[in-house]
Amino acid sequence: MSLIKQLWIAVAFLMFLAFATSFTISTLTTVKSYEEQLNIKNIDNVNSLALILSQVEKDKVILELMLAAQFDTGHYHYITLYDTQGEVYLDKRFEASQASPVPDWFRGLFNLRVSPGIASIQDGWHQFGTLHLESDERFAYMALWKTTQRYLFWFFLVTLSLGLIATYILKFIIKPLNNVVTQAEALGGRRFITTKEPKTLEFNRVVRAMNNLTENVRRMLETESQRLEDMRYKNQHDPLTGAANRDYFNSQLEADLLSEDDQLIYGFIMFRLPELQLINQELGHKKTDELIINLVNTIINRLDASKNYCNGFYLGRLNGSDFAVVIKEVSDFTQFLEFLVSDLKSNLAPYQDSVKLKLPIAANYFKAGEKRGDVFTRLDDLLAQAEVEQQISLCFDNNCDLNSSLTGDLAGGEQWKKTLDSILESKQLAFSQFPVVDLNNSLIHFEAMMRIKLDGKLVSAGLFIPWVRRLKLMAKFELALIEHLISRLHNQQDERLAMNISLETLRDAQISLTLIKLMESNKAVMPRLSLEFNEREVINHIELVKIFCQGVQHTGCKLGIDNAGEGFAKITGLHELGLDYLKLSASFTQDIDNKTENLEFVRGITTLAHSIGLSIIATGVREGYQLNSFKQVGVDGMTGPAIR
């Protein structure tokens, strides 16, 4: 029961006690007063009437007329004249024509004990009879009843007024307590807020304690998050350039090769600085480090400037002289390579005067499902050809069937735009689903991967998504897919689905608003729908993601981050997003049984995520995985090629 309700009960109880006491005393006093007044009236009236009747002629008609006249003007209950034998000589009584407004229970509760007036009537020196008279008590009861009603009215009015005043005062007094409740609820919802300390001593101590608790929890999470990030970075990155080391790069590459979408196409580039030891002798250690850093920064800057050509990338330093880049879902690899070679020639030109700098570059495509050894073999062969050339040289094998039999006629942007617009208009969207299960192999949800229908066949995302991005249709496609998923959820009552939502959708204010309204109008199925954001996009656009999350949270939709882990510590205000789960990047779950650093990192990030109410799902789980390892680190779910 709330404090306000308890206050109302207390006020009502105290007022009732005050009313009952006051009412009882005042009513009993009034009753006593009425009894005395009626007794006096009876005595006075009977004596006065007896004196008059004693002086008149004792004719029965005359006596009856005088009794009637007195009865009609005096509000009596009865006037009775008895003869000397005790027999009724004359009798006048009040007969009510309608029921009294005073309830019988009230009369019984406050009974007026009034004695009738008695007097003797003389006839000369002899007694003629005895006169009995009793006044009508109705008026006394009616007055008492009206007084009680007025008393009750004022009682309720005063009680209500006091309750309202006390409520207002109490709300003002306990406002700091309400802030503490809000703070505690925020802490439970993974949001860390502090409140102003009130002047009231007792509340001041409570608020201060809650502020300290909030700050300690926030600091603990930040410290642990930073510790995990430092450990991860140290184990997975080259200390000089910040690029991924060989093991981490291979883990990321292996995760892409194991993707369940075997139509995804990636661009792969390898760089080599031959005779690095000779360069180090000629330039010196410091200048050589500057050269390597300049090379890596040039590659990263070009990748950042070419986001329209791909859906992310990762860069690794395989050894002292070899570097590699994987570009995801690349759409125009040839043009990108031209820009990259141009940038490298421009930025590395200052070093040509000091040393005969050679930079052979090899580029090729690969698809999900290939073996890592085969991919590296192709690149090594191309790199060997490029080393024959002087200075900065590129060897690019473009023998990749980017346009499969399904999309062979769609060679240009105009044809792709016409086809994609037609698909949107005719709603020829579909999806493939891949299961996500808990450690007991019970279904959590299906991951819905976007597909389109061309000539009656499903086309994988790897073939059309790059063009969807370049033509800026991603937001429309995702909205159409969510509409399709919602329709599916209405038809399949037990199904649970999840899909990725991109930054393009969040940036498009109109589509984002349409999406929120769509979800609000389908709240019945929203608890069975999950939306996921790519970790990289969350890091770079945290406020945009936060606004969207706050807009859809009330619909019951579950929210998560996909491909998480690398930037986990960089997500400021992660606890404020209202997320439900994280899907760890497959690069962290690969060979978790054999790589201690991966095992420790996954255990740490799982512990941290659980402390703020998030579930952890391992992705890229392969055949032969060790369930005990996932149980050991506290993972909540799994997905990947091995999960059926």
Side-chain angles (χ1 to χ4, degrees), residues 532-549:
E532 301 170 1
F533 311 94
N534 185 277
E535 182 186 69
R536 187 185 298 273
E537 295 181 346
V538 174
I539 294 171
N540 296 329
H541 304 276
I542 183 68
E543 289 301 322
L544 194 62
V545 175
K546 185 187 296 185
I547 291 172
F548 181 81
C549 289

Side-chain angles (χ1 to χ4, degrees), residues 500-604:
N500 280 75
I501 185 169
S502 67
L503 188 63
E504 288 89 334
T505 299
L506 303 187
R507 278 177 170 167
D508 193 316
Q510 183 176 355
I511 288 184
S512 181
L513 182 60
T514 302
L515 175 57
I516 293 174
K517 289 182 178 179
L518 175 67
M519 296 172 69
E520 288 176 342
S521 61
N522 291 275
K523 281 188 177 181
V525 299
M526 283 302 101
R528 294 188 284 122
L529 177 68
S530 300
L531 296 180
E532 301 170 1
F533 311 94
N534 185 277
E535 182 186 69
R536 187 185 298 273
E537 295 181 346
V538 174
I539 294 171
N540 296 329
H541 304 276
I542 183 68
E543 289 301 322
L544 194 62
V545 175
K546 185 187 296 185
I547 291 172
F548 181 81
C549 289
Q550 291 172 347
V552 302
Q553 258 183 332
H554 66 282
T555 65
C557 172
K558 291 181 173 55
L559 302 170
I561 292 182
D562 190 23
N563 200 32
E566 183 175 349
F568 182 76
K570 300 176 184 177
I571 305 177
T572 56
L574 173 68
H575 47 273
E576 298 179 0
L577 296 180
L579 300 175
D580 296 285
Y581 62 90
L582 300 177
K583 285 185 176 177
L584 283 181
S585 170
S587 60
F588 297 104
T589 59
Q590 298 298 315
D591 296 327
I592 194 173
D593 306 315
N594 304 319
K595 293 184 178 180
T596 305
E597 62 273 16
N598 277 5
L599 184 72
E600 291 302 320
F601 177 74
V602 174
R603 178 188 285 114

Side-chain angles (χ1 to χ4, degrees), residues 410-552:
L410 305 177
E414 287 297 324
Q415 291 175 320
W416 268 108
K417 180 166 175 41
K418 193 177 298 183
T419 300
L420 294 175
D421 285 341
S422 174
I423 288 170
L424 278 176
E425 185 177 351
S426 59
K427 299 186 182 299
Q428 292 179 307
L429 275 176
F431 66 92
S432 294
Q433 54 188 39
F434 303 96
V436 178
V437 300
D438 61 20
L439 299 188
N440 296 319
N441 208 40
S442 297
L443 183 69
I444 296 176
H445 59 236
F446 283 106
E447 290 182 330
M449 301 295 184
M450 188 185 299
R451 303 286 186 264
I452 61 174
K453 294 180 181 179
L454 285 179
D455 299 328
K457 298 181 180 179
L458 287 182
V459 178
S460 173
L463 298 176
F464 69 89
I465 285 296
W467 282 105
V468 170
R469 291 186 183 277
R470 290 192 65 181
L471 297 171
K472 302 186 186 306
L473 295 173
M474 197 66 188
K476 292 182 179 179
F477 266 79
E478 288 184 342
L479 178 61
L481 180 58
I482 292 178
E483 289 175 344
H484 184 55
L485 295 183
I486 289 175
S487 176
R488 172 70 172 260
L489 290 173
H490 278 296
N491 295 330
Q492 303 290 334
Q493 298 298 323
D494 297 328
E495 199 163 46
R496 293 186 292 275
L497 299 172
M499 68 164 283
N500 280 75
I501 185 169
S502 67
L503 188 63
E504 288 89 334
T505 299
L506 303 187
R507 278 177 170 167
D508 193 316
Q510 183 176 355
I511 288 184
S512 181
L513 182 60
T514 302
L515 175 57
I516 293 174
K517 289 182 178 179
L518 175 67
M519 296 172 69
E520 288 176 342
S521 61
N522 291 275
K523 281 188 177 181
V525 299
M526 283 302 101
R528 294 188 284 122
L529 177 68
S530 300
L531 296 180
E532 301 170 1
F533 311 94
N534 185 277
E535 182 186 69
R536 187 185 298 273
E537 295 181 346
V538 174
I539 294 171
N540 296 329
H541 304 276
I542 183 68
E543 289 301 322
L544 194 62
V545 175
K546 185 187 296 185
I547 291 172
F548 181 81
C549 289
Q550 291 172 347
V552 302

Side-chain angles (χ1 to χ4, degrees), residues 609-628:
H610 285 171
S611 69
I612 55 176
L614 301 180
S615 300
I616 291 291
I617 296 172
T619 64
V621 178
R622 297 186 293 179
E623 296 291 346
Y625 70 92
Q626 293 295 322
L627 182 61
N628 289 335

Side-chain angles (χ1 to χ4, degrees), residues 60 64 71 249 292 350 424 555 577:
K60 189 173 184 178
E64 186 174 2
F71 184 86
F249 180 86
I292 294 173
L424 278 176
T555 65
L577 296 180

